[in-house]
Amino acid sequence: MYSPAPALLPVFRSDAQARILAALLLDPSREVSIADLAGLAGIRPPNALREVNRLIGAGLLKDRRVGRARLVSADVSSPYHQPLVAILARSFGPVLVIRDELAAVAGIDKALIFGSWAARFLGHGGPQPRDVDVLVIGEPPGRELRRANARMEDALHIPVQITTIGAAEWVAADSEFLRDVQAKPSITLDLTGSSDRQ
Amino acid sequence: MTPARHTPLSKLVIDGDLELVPVDAATCRELVHQARNHALTAVAGRGIGDLEGAFQIAYDGCRKVCLALALAYGVRAKGDTGHHAATFNAAAAALAGNLTARDLVDDATDLRFIRAGSEYRAEKITAAAVNDAIDILNGLLAALPPVMDARLTSSPTP
């Protein structure tokens, strides 16, 4: 399964490599099996294994065996760890940070990232996004959502524009804005688990 | 909480976000007076269904009462860009020892998200947002002027 360079920041070897690094370096406490990393990166397990071995060889990741499973995590002792975290947080961090922040806010039925950032993340070429557009569907408490919004911007150093609508409004989709969001690339955030659907 | 915005006053000055100014008690009290009027105007605007106007005037009241506190500490936002954020940050810094009041300032700071949505993305202001803004303004008007007055009477220079 071919994984091209990521449109969001084409300095990584492949989109899969960038997603593996983002999944592990942005949460250094996380240990993930090769099979789960393959799922996260959207590639087959043998390709994920090759990618992981390359990154372990470079000292960016480390692994340990638990029974028959091989668990992979970030090697925080690498001199490249912190600089890479900064780059990954800015480029690939929004999905993780926004998902985690919104998961902690009550009253959200569904949330998705749309607009130019989502398009780049999903591999559609174009200019670098200057902000991240988020649609929240539900009735979250205003102050709680705004506080989460502020934390997202503090963490990501990029404006995060949240639009909130009701569930009925989303289903009816009777505005040009909502029809546009539903027609164009978006990332639905899984607010209950750890995977995100596109 | 958003720790990144809770920068000490001295660092905000060193970093160039704020500049030192002479303390003028009359100006500080005039700003609080304006903010109290804005609270009343916001309630009146809400009463006639002008939600956008009510929100904007409540937000401006929040900004003015925070500016009054900052001026009582002898600082104000420097330059033309980001001066609203710098004003709120100055008030939050001045309230470092009063977490309840600082939380209110943080709530006022976060109103910028509603303001940005209304001004730049033509999003409608909801009644809930207006109610929240008025509540926050009334909270600030209860919490900040006593701190400001104490500062003005005890230590009029930064």
Side-chain angles (χ1 to χ4, degrees), chain A residues 143 146-147 150 161 163, chain B residues 2 5 107 110 121 123 132:
Chain A
R143 285 193 206 188
R146 292 194 295 275
R147 195 58 63 86
Q161 318 277 6
T163 301
Chain B
T2 51
R5 71 174 61 162
D107 287 332
D110 292 342
R121 302 198 299 280
E123 291 177 1
D132 218 11

Side-chain angles (χ1 to χ4, degrees), chain A residues 10-195:
Chain A
V11 299
F12 292 99
R13 182 176 172 277
S14 66
D15 189 64
Q17 184 196 59
R19 289 184 191 222
I20 288 171
L21 285 169
L24 297 174
L25 270 63
L26 295 179
D27 182 359
S29 66
R30 193 176 190 186
E31 288 187 306
V32 185
S33 70
I34 299 292
D36 287 345
L37 278 177
L40 282 168
I43 54 177
R44 294 188 301 117
N47 293 343
L49 180 62
R50 270 195 295 277
E51 204 63 73
V52 163
N53 284 340
R54 187 177 291 118
L55 294 168
I56 288 175
L60 296 171
L61 302 182
K62 61 183 180 181
D63 64 343
R64 70 185 182 103
R65 289 202 173 274
V66 178
R68 295 181 61 187
R70 185 184 179 197
L71 298 178
V72 185
S73 61
D75 189 342
V76 298
S77 68
S78 165
Y80 302 109
H81 178 78
Q82 279 305 331
L84 269 174
V85 165
I87 291 169
L88 289 163
R90 181 74 69 91
S91 53
F92 289 84
V95 168
L96 307 174
V97 170
I98 294 170
R99 181 198 66 200
D100 289 350
E101 284 293 345
L102 293 181
V105 177
I108 298 178
D109 299 333
K110 182 176 179 173
L112 49 91
I113 299 176
F114 65 99
S116 58
W117 195 92
R120 265 0 124 248
F121 185 83
L122 295 172
H124 301 268
Q128 282 298 299
R130 291 175 179 271
D131 58 13
V132 184
D133 293 303
V134 179
L135 186 69
V136 166
I137 300 151
E139 294 182 4
R143 285 193 206 188
E144 210 180 312
L145 183 63
R146 292 194 295 275
R147 195 58 63 86
N149 199 162
R151 283 193 299 266
M152 291 171 200
E153 294 193 345
D154 283 346
L156 298 170
H157 303 286
I158 185 171
V160 178
Q161 318 277 6
I162 297 180
T163 301
T164 306
I165 60 165
E169 205 179 336
W170 174 247
V171 172
D174 58 3
S175 72
E176 201 55 51
F177 165 69
L178 288 180
R179 281 192 289 274
D180 194 53
V181 170
Q182 293 185 1
K184 288 185 175 170
S186 66
I187 304 157
T188 301
L189 301 174
D190 182 351
L191 303 182
T192 58
S194 60
S195 63

Side-chain angles (χ1 to χ4, degrees), chain B residues 56-81:
Chain B
Q56 292 291 354
I57 200 77
Y59 173 83
D60 209 38
C62 291
R63 184 185 63 79
K64 284 182 178 175
V65 72
C66 286
L67 175 59
L69 182 64
L71 291 174
Y73 276 75
V75 293
R76 72 175 176 200
K78 193 175 182 181
D80 295 330
T81 57

Side-chain angles (χ1 to χ4, degrees), chain B residues 59-143:
Chain B
Y59 173 83
D60 209 38
C62 291
R63 184 185 63 79
K64 284 182 178 175
V65 72
C66 286
L67 175 59
L69 182 64
L71 291 174
Y73 276 75
V75 293
R76 72 175 176 200
K78 193 175 182 181
D80 295 330
T81 57
H83 59 283
H84 283 203
T87 298
F88 286 122
N89 287 345
L95 294 164
N98 184 341
L99 297 185
T100 304
R102 195 177 67 176
D103 266 358
L104 276 169
V105 172
D106 284 348
D107 287 332
T109 309
D110 292 342
L111 291 174
R112 68 195 158 99
F113 293 116
I114 299 174
R115 184 167 170 264
S118 169
E119 293 192 359
Y120 304 120
R121 302 198 299 280
E123 291 177 1
K124 282 191 173 180
I125 302 282
T126 64
V130 172
N131 293 341
D132 218 11
I134 292 172
D135 284 349
I136 291 166
L137 174 53
N138 285 329
L140 291 175
L141 285 168

